[in-house]
Structure formats: C-alpha cells, structure tokens
Amino acid sequence: MENGEPGEELDAAEALLDEGRPEEALAVLARVDPGDPDRWLLELDAWTELADWRRAEAALAAAERTNAPGEPLVDFYRGRLRLAQWRTAEARAALERVPVEVGGAALLLDLALLEDLEGDPAAADARLAAAAALDPAAAPPPIRLSPADFAALVEEAAAALPPDFRDAFHTVAVVIDPMPTAGIVDAPRSGHPPDLLGLFAGLPLTEREARGHGELPPTIFLFQRNLERLASDRARLREEVRTTLYHELGHALGFDEEGVEDMGLA
C-alpha cells in the first residue's frame, strides 16, 4: 500500500482490524504521525488483539498523552484491554464511563461479555438485547439452548467431521462450560481472550500413546455462551461448534497453532 493521507491510512488500519488482521494494521499505523491521537487508539486495539500486553500498555500511555483529558474513546479502548487481560473490575470501571452514543453496539457487546464472565447471564442477555436494538445488523440476538440441547447439537456437529476427527472426538473428553475462566485458560499469561470458543488441554493423542496412559486424559472445553453469541439460529450455531471442534481436535491430533491455521481452521 502506498503512503496516503493520514485519514485514509487510519481508515485502512481500522478496516484491517475489523477483518482480524492486526499485524497488517500495525504496519499501516507505523506510517501515521505519532502526534495523531487516533493512531494510538488503533495501535492499542491491535496490540490487545495480539495479546502483547507490554506494547498495548505503551500504546495506552501514548493515547492518554495525545488525546484530550477525559476522552471517552480512551476509556473504551482501555476497557477492552483490561477485559482481554481478565482484569474485570478495571474493565467495568472504564467501559461504564463510555456513553453508549460513543461506544455503540460494540460497547454493549463488551459489557455483555463482562457480565457473562462475572456470572450474570441475565444481565449479559439484557446488554445483548440493547445492542441488537441499537444495531441489529452488527449485533443480532443470539440463540440460546438448554444444556441438554447444546450437548445434542455438539453430537450433531461431531457427526459432520471427517472420520479421523470423529474418532478423535470419541477418544478425548469433551467438557461443555457456559464460559471460560482465567484458571482454565491460564489467563492472562496464555493470551487467550474471554470470548474464547474452545480449548484443548492435555497431551496430544500421539504423545499420549508414546508415553503410556499415566497422564490425565486430553480434554476439549467448549464454551456454550461464547459460541451462542456468534449465532442467531441453530444451523449457524451447529456450524460454529463444528468449526471449533475441528480446530481443537486438530490440536488433539498433534497439530500446533500454525498447523491448524494451515488446515484452514484458525
């Protein structure tokens, strides 16, 4: 990309962030004037996405220096960073200072995630309903299933996997939890975000066979409310569950994160 006007480069970086391409966004932002306050807000978002806490804190400090005191967008991005770090009390303090007319549906979605992490699904659903009312295209209301119906849907999704993945599914333990916890995902050290969909824990099946059966069984965790948040109907939810199972079973079969990405399952 050739150098353009600062506004164009900021727009390009924001679009890359929306597409889940933070490294490319950072390359664009490096060409923006360091005195531009918007640069640091977007850098903060990118480093948060990459779970690089040191650089995220540096970008937050730069955003505080270059933005006007009390700028609500600084609190918005500070809250997102603290949420990603599982520092929920600080995240709530920052996010609740942001007016809805500034943060929009994205603010309400972050607050809903925070409510879920703190064990208040009713409050989370109220936030999600408010986000859907504000921007139904960006935040459609999620489907909600009972634990039994969700477990049945997991079995449906597993039946659509390739044979070797189906075999692995029936070998590992599959645990369905409403939400991840910092303890389960080893956060913030691991970098796993609070909206994590699934997690593989334990030795891959190939290593377990080589070492014998003295280890704890390999386990896949599925986080029901995070998965439901991505879908407004059962068919879409089943596909999200299938993709998540495919990804985590890839790890169970010995693929690292790069190998899983090469399979198109990132």
Side-chain angles (χ1 to χ4, degrees):
M1 181 186 298
E2 297 180 359
N3 289 352
E5 294 297 320
E8 293 175 355
E9 293 191 324
L10 289 168
D11 288 345
E14 189 167 15
L16 288 166
L17 284 169
D18 288 343
E19 294 169 9
R21 298 157 65 186
E23 296 95 340
E24 294 172 61
L26 286 164
V28 174
L29 290 167
R31 300 196 292 268
V32 177
D33 182 356
D36 190 321
D38 289 336
R39 166 184 170 165
W40 298 110
L41 293 173
L42 293 177
E43 279 212 18
L44 172 53
D45 206 29
W47 291 123
T48 298
E49 180 70 21
L50 292 168
D52 188 323
W53 310 133
R54 181 180 66 81
R55 289 185 172 91
E57 295 290 355
L60 173 59
E64 291 171 333
R65 288 195 306 270
T66 55
N67 279 272
E71 167 56 53
L73 281 175
V74 175
D75 273 328
F76 176 63
Y77 287 105
R78 177 189 289 112
R80 299 188 82 175
L81 170 61
R82 298 297 177 239
L83 183 55
Q85 294 171 323
W86 298 75
R87 292 161 62 174
T88 55
E90 294 170 70
R92 181 179 292 280
L95 292 172
E96 289 189 341
R97 288 195 294 267
V98 182
V100 173
E101 57 267 25
V102 172
L107 170 66
L108 295 169
L109 292 173
D110 285 341
L111 286 166
L113 178 58
L114 183 59
E115 305 286 10
D116 262 329
L117 288 176
E118 294 183 340
D120 193 341
D125 284 345
R127 299 277 196 187
L128 292 169
L134 186 64
D135 190 347
I143 186 174
R144 292 297 184 208
L145 299 183
S146 70
D149 283 345
F150 189 84
L153 184 140
V154 170
E155 292 288 343
E156 291 175 26
L161 293 169
D164 52 342
F165 282 76
R166 286 201 306 274
D167 291 344
F169 173 79
H170 292 295
T171 301
V172 304
V174 178
V175 175
I176 299 169
D177 284 335
M179 290 291 294
T181 66
I184 287 175
V185 306
D186 190 24
R189 188 190 66 82
S190 66
H192 290 313
D195 59 354
L196 188 68
L197 305 179
L199 178 71
F200 172 73
L203 286 176
L205 296 174
T206 49
E207 293 184 29
R208 180 174 167 78
E209 290 168 2
R211 297 189 191 186
H213 296 285
E215 303 286 339
L216 292 174
T219 302
I220 287 175
F221 293 90
L222 296 175
F223 303 115
Q224 179 174 345
R225 286 184 64 84
N226 280 345
L227 283 156
E228 288 174 342
R229 196 176 292 114
L230 296 180
S232 57
D233 60 53
R234 187 183 178 97
R236 171 70 189 278
L237 179 57
R238 183 171 56 247
E239 182 57 25
E240 294 293 348
V241 170
R242 188 195 70 84
T243 301
T244 302
L245 279 174
Y246 211 160
H247 181 112
E248 303 309 334
L249 287 166
H251 291 312
L253 290 169
F255 294 95
D256 60 15
E257 198 65 36
E258 183 176 341
V260 169
E261 289 178 7
D262 288 344
M263 295 166 63
L265 302 173

